Amino acid sequence: MLIRYGYQMTLACPQDTAFVARLSVHPERESDVVYEVPFHSTPAVQSSVFTDDFGTRSRRFVAPAGRLTVRADGLIVDNGKRDGVDLSAREVPIMALPASAMQFLLGSRYCETDLLSGIAWQMFGSVAPGWGRVQAICDFVHQHLVFSYPHARSTRTAFDAYQERIGVCRDFTHLAITLCRCMNIPARYVNGYLGDIGVPADPAPMDFNAWFEVYLGDRWHTFDARHNTARIGRIVIARGRDAMDVPMIHSFGAHRLESFAVTTVEVTGVLAPQDVAEQSWQQILPRLLLAA
């Protein structure tokens, strides 16, 4: 399966302003990228890339006073499989967890384990440990919260979402992560592309998505409290403790987001497997852009 991905956004700044953007495909999927027009801007700005403590590729640049439009466009190969399900996956005793997972047991900026611990144990303490307990948490969050873009708020925490019973994908994710951590299950926040592949098209404008991963057995597993169903075509951009670690753009000064568009679509009917090997991307790309 081929998926076209990309973004375009326009930032307005009253003065020269430094930014850190986390918009690149995660290094773990780098080998799957078959073509990419990477980060570029109008007007052109210089930028540099570094990898943060969570393995996310981050880009620094200075936006000049006025408007700056940044964009990227690419094509990635995906196996076309839905998220894996492993009903036999077991919780790992804290003393047996890898050291790298320990930080994902703790409270963080948007995930107040201290405020939700009693609630979590009351609701899920009697649920059999393992995959089923995490799924029970997802079921609860999916039913407890109402998805609403107009009610999005950057300051809403997991406890706020629990009380207000409304939010967007990051709020579903924060609440599920927090409840998992309260039950001593390591859980980390994931941000990335997720198109309407294998599901009815969502009429709302495309956006980046948030989901989460938990450590069960001997590895991390994908869960999604907002959609609460196995999906096809996730493209990871960033991971962290919560949304504080993975902002799409972080500005060190005032700015206004004037426009924002995300592309995540399956490309079908325009490429045969041999095309990738036999033709140059200069030949193929116009067909992709017309088809997607």
Side-chain angles (χ1 to χ4, degrees), residues 14 25 71 83 101 106 125 129 152-153 155 193 216 226 258 267:
V25 172
R71 60 181 69 85
D83 303 326
L106 307 177
R153 188 175 79 241
T155 58
Y193 293 97
L216 296 172
R226 186 255 167 125
E258 291 199 338
V267 178

Side-chain angles (χ1 to χ4, degrees), residues 64-76:
R67 289 179 174 81
L68 178 75
T69 297
V70 297
R71 60 181 69 85
D73 196 24
L75 188 72
I76 194 168

Side-chain angles (χ1 to χ4, degrees), residues 235-278:
I235 305 173
V236 174
I237 291 175
R239 292 187 177 94
R241 294 164 296 186
D242 58 29
M244 184 187 73
D245 293 326
V246 299
M248 177 180 63
I249 51 172
H250 184 109
S251 66
F252 296 85
H255 81 278
R256 184 175 67 257
L257 183 62
E258 291 199 338
S259 66
F260 174 67
V262 175
T263 299
T264 319
V265 293
E266 181 183 3
V267 178
T268 59
V270 294
L271 286 179
Q274 64 268 24
D275 287 338
V276 176
E278 295 177 359

Side-chain angles (χ1 to χ4, degrees), residues 155-176:
T155 58
R156 181 180 288 119
T157 66
F159 188 65
D160 292 336
Y162 174 77
Q163 291 187 307
E164 298 170 14
R165 303 191 64 168
I166 201 164
V168 291
C169 59
R170 60 175 267 159
D171 302 305
F172 284 71
T173 301
H174 282 149
L175 181 54

